[in-house]
Amino acid sequence: PASRGHMIRALASSLGGDQAFANSTLAAEYLLLHLLSHCTHDPVLVGKHCLNLSGIAGEGHSQAVAQVEGLLRLLMPRTRMVPVSLRGLNEKPMWPRKCYVTDALVGGPLLLSGRTHLVLDETQLGEGQLNACGVHNFQCLRQLVQFQTMEIDYQYYKLPIRCDVPALVLSHTKSILPCDTHLRLSQVPAAMAAAAAASPHAQQQQPPPSSTGWGLEPGLGCSLETLRGYLSFCLNHCTDYCIPQEVGAKLQEDFVQRRQKDPTHCTADWFHRQLTLARLLCQSHGEKKLSLERWHQLQHMEALANQPGAVTITPPTAAA
């Protein structure tokens, strides 16, 4: 639907658009799948899609992080930003713990309600040494991102609790946390970006400034309510998902062929991730059944994500 196109443009715009990153549209596709993801633990962990967008560097990296986090706050019911810096990790505990002086539970930044979207700003992480608190904080972050569990420290024992907290990690290089998908943003050379910004087409498409910082409604031709309504529809009305028998047979055949060619990469965990992304992709299109068209679309996205050099921008031509 048209709303999906508006959503992709909004997410790509928050990343800086094609003038900043050559694969911003691809990143927006994966970011949309991340926003639609949620996990269950019955009986094993399924549905998790933690996303790492790297390549956010340079003088404007803090602004880029703020724009992404700002858009997520506008779109999602619950969002939490947690800066990941050496000082922050070493300074104070992030995990929930019991205080026996006040006989109360002390909640840390990682004690979040279900379906809270966690944004981890790893661009602030520099070189240095972690102390005991920093090591424990990192272990808690890793446990939350990889297994969607958090331990409450009762001093004499630890009580693990199950979570449903999709995590988005923004970083300079590949994150130290084990995310499900890693996509490196391909930065556009400065000369090409300047030429693209100066082109008449770019000036016509450039949205005017607004209270959000990058002009959501004027630049994208839709309202914030439209984007929220689209996400609500995908999250609440596209839950009865199934894989038709003939499509499932094709997927199994495809997996067997890929595993014969590359048994190291094409594992059961890899196939599980592919099925999760395929479900989210169908959900983003408002579909309840997986089709071969969507499966091939996902494989094309995966090929582009694994070969960032193949994603290029054509320099703007001079106006006649």
Side-chain angles (χ1 to χ4, degrees), residues 256-286:
V256 171
Q257 293 177 355
R258 289 173 178 267
R259 187 169 176 81
Q260 290 176 348
K261 295 179 181 179
D262 189 1
T264 303
H265 175 69
C266 298
T267 61
D269 290 337
W270 172 87
F271 190 54
H272 173 79
R273 173 182 170 276
Q274 295 295 306
L275 293 177
T276 299
L277 293 179
R279 178 181 60 82
L280 295 173
L281 185 59
C282 290
Q283 196 172 345
S284 72
H285 284 274

Side-chain angles (χ1 to χ4, degrees), residues 64-77:
V65 172
Q67 288 185 163
V68 174
E69 191 260 345
L71 178 59
L72 264 59
R73 284 191 181 276
L74 291 174
L75 295 176
M76 308 307 296

Side-chain angles (χ1 to χ4, degrees), residues 26-311:
L26 178 64
E29 289 280 354
Y30 278 100
L31 185 52
L32 174 58
L33 302 188
H34 162 75
L35 295 180
L36 296 178
S37 66
H38 76 93
C39 66
T40 59
H41 297 261
D42 188 22
V44 296
L45 179 63
V46 294
K48 180 176 71 74
H49 181 230
C50 294
L51 175 63
N52 172 214
L53 297 179
S54 68
I56 302 177
E59 297 179 355
H61 76 273
S62 58
Q63 180 181 357
V65 172
Q67 288 185 163
V68 174
E69 191 260 345
L71 178 59
L72 264 59
R73 284 191 181 276
L74 291 174
L75 295 176
M76 308 307 296
R78 294 177 296 276
T79 303
R80 181 66 181 267
M81 163 71 82
V82 176
V84 181
S85 63
L86 188 66
R87 179 180 178 181
L89 290 173
N90 289 333
E91 197 171 41
K92 58 183 180 180
M94 293 183 178
W95 63 89
R97 56 209 178 277
K98 177 67 177 290
C99 177
Y100 287 93
V101 176
T102 60
D103 196 29
L105 183 66
V106 179
L110 299 183
L111 183 60
L112 303 170
S113 59
R115 296 203 179 187
T116 298
H117 282 260
L118 177 63
V119 182
L120 298 175
D121 181 12
E122 209 175 277
T123 62
Q124 303 183 23
L125 187 62
E127 296 181 355
Q129 186 173 0
L130 294 175
N131 56 23
C133 178
V135 172
H136 196 174
N137 278 330
F138 172 75
Q139 291 174 345
C140 290
L141 286 171
R142 184 183 181 91
Q143 186 177 16
L144 179 61
V145 170
Q146 186 173 11
F147 302 110
Q148 286 292 298
T149 57
M150 176 60 56
E151 290 183 340
I152 300 179
D153 188 1
Y154 283 92
Q155 187 175 345
Y156 304 104
Y157 67 96
K158 295 180 180 180
L159 177 65
I161 58 174
R162 296 174 175 179
C163 306
D164 182 9
V165 181
L168 171 64
V169 184
L170 305 175
S171 59
H172 293 312
T173 59
K174 185 176 181 179
S175 174
I176 58 177
L177 298 171
C179 298
D180 301 293
T181 298
H182 167 243
L183 177 65
R184 178 168 182 81
L185 297 171
S186 301
Q187 194 164 10
V188 176
M192 187 180 296
S199 65
H201 178 72
Q203 292 177 358
Q204 294 175 1
Q205 296 296 324
Q206 186 176 6
S210 71
S211 58
T212 60
W214 37 275
L216 178 62
E217 297 187 19
L220 300 169
C222 70
S223 65
L224 183 60
E225 287 73 19
T226 300
L227 299 182
R228 288 173 173 170
Y230 162 75
L231 287 176
S232 177
F233 173 79
C234 293
L235 288 169
N236 299 317
H237 299 283
C238 300
T239 55
D240 298 331
Y241 172 77
C242 68
I243 301 178
Q245 185 175 0
E246 61 275 11
V247 176
K250 288 289 185 180
L251 266 56
Q252 293 180 19
E253 181 181 349
D254 184 31
F255 173 62
V256 171
Q257 293 177 355
R258 289 173 178 267
R259 187 169 176 81
Q260 290 176 348
K261 295 179 181 179
D262 189 1
T264 303
H265 175 69
C266 298
T267 61
D269 290 337
W270 172 87
F271 190 54
H272 173 79
R273 173 182 170 276
Q274 295 295 306
L275 293 177
T276 299
L277 293 179
R279 178 181 60 82
L280 295 173
L281 185 59
C282 290
Q283 196 172 345
S284 72
H285 284 274
E287 300 168 353
K288 298 184 178 181
K289 292 183 179 181
L290 177 61
S291 63
L292 290 178
E293 177 186 0
R294 293 289 171 244
W295 178 256
H296 294 321
Q297 180 184 353
L298 173 63
Q299 299 310 309
H300 179 65
M301 289 171 53
E302 290 283 87
L304 293 178
N306 293 327
Q307 299 178 0
V311 185

